[in-house]
Amino acid sequence: MKNRVILLLIICFFSVSVHGQWTLKTNLPALYINTFDGRNITSKTNYVNAQLVYMDEESHVTKWDTIQIRGRGNSTWNMSKKPYRIKFLKKQRFLGEERANAKSWTLLANAGDKTMLRNAITSAMGEFAGLPFNPACKFVDLIMNGTYMGTYQISDQVDIKKKRVNIVEQDYPLEPDADISGGYLLEVDGFQDGNCFISSVYNVPIRIHSPDEDEINNEQNQYIKKHVSIFENCLKSSDFTHPIKGYRRLIDSTTLVNWFLCTEISGNIDGYYSTYFYKNQADSIFYWGPLWDYDVAYNNDRRIPNTYNSLMTDVGYGMTKAWLNRMWEDPWFSRLVNRRYNELLDRGFVEYLYQKIDSLTNLLSRSIQLNYEKWGIRTRMYNEIVLYSSYDQYVYDLKDYISKHSEFLQQAFANRKPLDPTPSFSPKDYFYRITNSNTKKAMETNGNAVVQYTNLEDRLTEDWIIKRANGHFQIINRDNEMALNDPTTGAVGPTTNIGTALNTAIPDTIDTRQLWDIIPQGTDGYYNLLNVYSQHIANLNGGSNADGTKILSYTNDNRNGESKNRLWMITPTKEQLPIEYTGIRELEPDNYALAYDPFTKELHFGSDTPEALSFKVYVYSLSGKLIGTFLANERFSIQQFADDVYIVKWNCGGKTKSVKFKK
């Protein structure tokens, strides 16, 4: 009796779950579409009436007695496994509350992509990058008029709607005083379908998707054409790099760079042949995206059989390149691309895509097997570069491309990025090497003389300590502990009495012959060394490559940034300064610092706001004996005290501070 009850329950459950003729083919939801009278779908423009049944993963059924269905796509419509567009009579949240409430949805066949993952992972990448709308990726098994059709992807139709392109949709018909500034959904469309115009400056074919071509009036047409023309004229102009006069005021940089990077990361050779962008109402800016139609991306099109080491702005198809290659000429754009790409790398976008691929591969494994039993895994559908006998090999190629191409892009974007201006010099607690831009040899001491010599890591005569002194810099050699000095005598000026060989002298922060301004030049990280006393520039004598060539006090004029004899690279060594050189460098939130000068044996504070240095400072021996006090705006000499460790204490802003230093 017990076994009969169990059997009865199983039979009842089976009869409920299969719902008669509707069953799940795999672990994926099943989508059943039956056209009225079994009519074939042969057109991309004319809809056919049909019935639709959706059975989810738990075998729950939702049925629509009447929908419409037609073909869709351009190249993809010519493949044997065809894509479709379905249209409900009323808006439906077909994919749940998190997706759009809309009539139109697409069924992507992904026929030219043997992994069937490229559109899905690109949408995920757009989400990772922060694009505001990324098409849905719900995989199903499709059964049409009783015939199994394969693995399909339910996705959004690209249109204006909440949770799609969420901008203002203009009313139809328009009121006489309607605001026609937006929204507009546009596409750079190489096929030039629908309501398409050619832009006036760069001859870019642009399709107006919304307002619909059956609803848009002449005034709206002219408005958006003019706005594109304004953008192109700003981009073409001689002031195009100007943040106000140029094109930047008319583009949203966030969506631009994220859309652009996703297109380049995916290596989509058609990404600039079909490019969506849009404009909202009462907003002059163009926004970029969504990402759409990426089944030939990631090196999956034999028209360009190797895109591993290529930028799509160089080798891809489409007229969006005309805009982007002009933007490449703007240092702001190339810096933006380089910075944002490295942010995505640091956040782990490669690992993220790997995880998505692995997750989807696992999800689709059973459906993939059925799909290729029907369509053949070695059957060429479009322009696939290679044909393998196993699905895993296609997935491996996809991952391999992401890995290698992402490495190429990092270097490619860095190469496009203009060199940053040489920064103002700010010394750190390291020894420095000062090398000539022409010979790459290092400045060093030879006795008291200052010469160049082959740059050798362990050569202490080539190490220099650079510290601030009286608003300038003092440069002290590590080996002889003497300061770089300009001994020029007599009347001096920037271009007079030049040619004296530099030497070193006993450090004296008051002597302006030992004080230098370190002046950045150009974009290559080079500096001039300008002597405060003589106003001359440190110059390699004759530009000679010979070891022992003297460094001269020389002409200071408009060739400072060009003459390699006057340009010096100042780079820290790997070795930090020991305490006897650094003294105390205790930076405070109030922007002041206590320092010990080991050459004058003085303690003193420095601050960008000297008026704040009004507190009293106490100096103790290590045993705790008070040996002296001073105000923070004064200097305190410990020259008369023994070489030892001392403690300095003070109170500022209600906080007591103390540090140790070694004399």
Side-chain angles (χ1 to χ4, degrees):
M1 180 66 180
K2 183 177 180 181
N3 291 338
R4 289 182 62 193
V5 171
I6 294 173
L7 180 60
L8 180 61
L9 288 173
I10 292 173
I11 292 171
C12 289
F13 177 77
F14 181 73
S15 65
V16 171
S17 63
V18 299
H19 296 272
Q21 62 188 20
W22 304 309
T23 60
L24 294 178
K25 295 289 185 181
T26 67
N27 57 303
L28 295 185
L31 196 66
Y32 286 85
I33 296 177
N34 294 307
T35 61
F36 292 171
D37 301 325
R39 188 176 305 170
N40 292 329
I41 302 164
T42 58
S43 172
K44 293 195 303 177
T45 55
N46 299 321
Y47 280 102
V48 172
N49 292 328
Q51 176 195 72
L52 185 147
V53 174
Y54 178 80
M55 176 179 281
D56 69 15
E57 298 91 329
E58 303 299 325
S59 297
H60 299 135
V61 167
T62 307
K63 180 180 177 183
W64 290 267
D65 287 329
T66 303
I67 67 158
Q68 293 182 311
I69 183 169
R70 63 171 173 83
R72 65 166 307 280
N74 289 300
S75 301
T76 53
W77 178 244
N78 296 319
M79 301 180 196
S80 52
K81 183 186 178 188
K82 298 185 179 299
Y84 302 100
R85 177 173 173 177
I86 59 174
K87 186 176 182 180
F88 295 93
L89 299 183
K90 296 190 298 184
K91 292 180 180 179
Q92 302 290 332
R93 294 197 181 276
F94 190 34
L95 296 183
E97 292 296 322
E98 69 278 8
R99 304 304 305 190
N101 184 26
K103 291 182 179 180
S104 292
W105 299 82
T106 63
L107 294 175
L108 303 182
N110 293 312
D113 171 15
K114 288 294 190 291
T115 71
M116 290 190 275
L117 302 178
R118 283 172 165 81
N119 279 312
I121 65 167
T122 303
S123 183
M125 178 165 54
E127 184 175 346
F128 184 88
L131 285 171
F133 167 59
N134 300 287
C137 300
K138 182 70 173 180
F139 287 95
V140 297
D141 294 315
L142 176 64
I143 300 93
M144 182 88 70
N145 291 331
T147 300
Y148 170 73
M149 302 299 291
T151 308
Y152 275 71
Q153 176 186 332
I154 303 175
S155 190
D156 294 276
Q157 177 70 20
V158 180
D159 58 12
I160 295 178
K161 202 151 324 286
K162 287 183 180 180
K163 300 185 179 181
R164 287 184 175 172
V165 180
N166 191 11
I167 60 176
V168 172
E169 186 172 15
Q170 298 187 56
D171 293 330
Y172 177 79
L174 281 176
E175 298 294 331
D177 58 348
D179 182 356
I180 64 168
S181 64
Y184 293 90
L185 175 60
L186 309 171
E187 178 190 6
V188 175
D189 183 7
F191 290 105
Q192 300 186 34
D193 286 341
N195 182 17
C196 191
F197 67 92
I198 306 299
S199 67
S200 60
V201 179
Y202 284 93
N203 298 316
V204 177
I206 298 174
R207 180 179 179 181
I208 305 172
H209 282 275
S210 185
D212 187 84
E213 64 179 313
D214 295 330
E215 299 178 355
I216 193 169
N217 64 27
N218 183 62
E219 188 180 5
Q220 291 167 310
N221 265 317
Q222 295 307 312
Y223 173 87
I224 195 59
K225 289 179 183 178
K226 181 178 179 181
H227 200 74
V228 170
S229 180
I230 293 170
F231 160 70
E232 286 195 322
N233 277 301
C234 289
L235 186 62
K236 185 79 171 179
S237 75
S238 58
D239 292 323
F240 81 107
T241 63
H242 194 279
I244 304 301
K245 298 178 182 178
Y247 70 99
R248 281 187 245 167
R249 66 184 177 89
L250 294 171
I251 57 103
D252 174 64
S253 61
T254 301
T255 54
L256 171 66
V257 72
N258 288 333
W259 160 80
F260 171 76
L261 286 174
C262 289
T263 302
E264 289 292 344
I265 290 167
S266 66
N268 186 4
I269 65 175
D270 284 341
Y272 307 133
Y273 193 81
S274 172
T275 298
Y276 281 98
F277 63 113
Y278 51 94
K279 181 190 178 300
N280 208 353
Q281 196 171 78
D283 187 349
S284 62
I285 293 174
F286 284 122
Y287 297 81
W288 302 79
L291 303 167
W292 187 254
D293 199 11
Y294 278 67
D295 52 347
V296 300
Y298 307 92
N299 207 54
N300 188 40
D301 194 318
R302 59 183 175 177
R303 289 176 295 167
I304 305 178
N306 186 354
T307 59
Y308 278 83
N309 297 319
S310 299
L311 290 173
M312 297 308 101
T313 48
D314 292 337
V315 303
Y317 300 104
M319 286 301 294
T320 313
K321 291 198 309 181
W323 294 342
L324 291 168
N325 284 323
R326 178 61 166 170
M327 292 179 192
W328 268 133
E329 298 176 32
D330 182 1
W332 168 85
F333 178 73
S334 52
R335 287 192 179 97
L336 173 67
V337 168
N338 187 70
R339 182 179 69 249
R340 180 57 177 156
Y341 183 72
N342 282 287
E343 289 173 357
L344 294 178
L345 275 180
D346 291 343
R347 284 179 52 208
F349 87 82
V350 173
E351 295 78 9
Y352 174 81
L353 292 181
Y354 281 177
Q355 291 169 5
K356 285 292 181 183
I357 291 170
D358 290 342
S359 175
L360 287 171
T361 300
N362 183 60
L363 174 70
L364 299 179
S365 59
R366 290 170 57 192
S367 184
I368 289 287
Q369 184 176 350
L370 279 184
N371 181 85
Y372 287 120
E373 286 176 6
K374 179 178 180 66
W375 297 110
I377 200 163
R378 290 184 58 83
T379 301
R380 190 177 301 281
M381 286 286 193
Y382 184 50
N383 280 327
E384 300 97 317
I385 294 173
V386 293
L387 295 174
Y388 295 122
S389 58
S390 79
Y391 181 75
D392 288 345
Q393 288 175 292
Y394 292 110
V395 173
Y396 174 84
D397 273 4
L398 175 58
K399 284 185 171 181
D400 184 61
Y401 182 81
I402 292 170
S403 174
K404 292 178 179 177
H405 190 57
S406 65
E407 291 178 4
F408 161 77
L409 289 177
Q410 187 173 31
Q411 188 60 53
F413 293 151
N415 291 342
R416 293 283 183 115
K417 174 181 171 290
L419 293 172
D420 292 323
T422 301
S424 298
F425 183 77
S426 179
K428 308 297 182 185
D429 289 339
Y430 288 86
F431 293 108
Y432 282 87
R433 290 292 171 99
I434 304 173
T435 54
N436 183 259
S437 69
N438 184 33
T439 65
K440 312 305 180 188
K441 294 192 173 185
M443 182 185 293
E444 71 158 31
T445 58
N446 182 0
N448 284 338
V450 179
V451 299
Q452 76 166 1
Y453 199 85
T454 301
N455 194 349
L456 302 173
E457 185 173 351
D458 59 352
R459 195 172 175 88
L460 300 186
T461 53
E462 297 178 349
D463 288 349
W464 299 84
I465 303 158
I466 303 177
K467 63 174 190 170
R468 298 185 188 277
N470 297 323
H472 305 283
F473 295 99
Q474 193 173 40
I475 304 173
I476 299 169
N477 188 263
R478 178 181 187 176
D479 184 65
N480 68 9
E481 297 187 349
M482 305 279 272
L484 183 65
N485 181 74
D486 185 346
T488 303
T489 59
V492 292
T495 60
T496 59
N497 199 8
I498 59 173
T500 300
L502 301 182
N503 64 6
T504 57
I506 296 172
D508 181 354
T509 57
I510 305 302
D511 186 354
T512 55
R513 297 172 187 271
Q514 298 180 19
L515 298 182
W516 300 82
D517 289 331
I518 300 178
I519 303 170
Q521 288 290 356
T523 59
D524 297 320
Y526 289 112
Y527 297 86
N528 294 140
L529 302 179
L530 171 66
N531 187 261
V532 172
Y533 168 77
S534 68
Q535 291 298 293
H536 293 168
I537 299 292
N539 182 91
L540 179 65
N541 187 16
S544 171
N545 193 54
D547 287 341
T549 302
K550 292 181 179 181
I551 313 299
L552 306 181
S553 170
Y554 210 70
T555 303
N556 172 9
D557 59 20
N558 59 10
R559 294 188 65 238
N560 287 345
E562 302 173 7
S563 174
K564 292 185 176 181
N565 297 340
R566 308 178 194 179
L567 294 173
W568 303 88
M569 180 75 73
I570 305 176
T571 53
T573 66
K574 297 177 182 178
E575 187 177 354
Q576 284 190 293
L577 296 177
I579 190 169
E580 58 262 31
Y581 294 118
T582 60
I584 303 163
R585 299 180 187 274
E586 179 78 13
L587 294 178
E588 300 295 332
D590 295 321
N591 197 26
Y592 67 90
L594 172 63
Y596 170 59
D597 189 330
F599 302 101
T600 65
K601 313 299 183 186
E602 290 180 323
L603 290 165
H604 64 94
F605 283 83
S607 176
D608 292 338
T609 54
E611 63 275 8
L613 301 177
S614 58
F615 48 88
K616 195 171 185 179
V617 187
Y618 303 84
V619 185
Y620 298 88
S621 67
L622 192 59
S623 64
K625 180 181 177 180
L626 180 67
I627 66 169
T629 64
F630 65 100
L631 291 177
N633 60 5
E634 300 173 341
R635 287 177 171 262
F636 181 77
S637 175
I638 61 166
Q639 189 160 3
Q640 69 272 31
F641 300 110
D643 291 347
D644 203 349
V645 176
Y646 294 88
I647 300 170
V648 183
K649 290 186 178 181
W650 68 94
N651 185 288
C652 182
K655 295 181 180 180
T656 299
K657 299 287 184 180
S658 66
V659 294
K660 293 180 181 179
F661 75 99
K662 182 180 179 182
K663 179 188 174 190

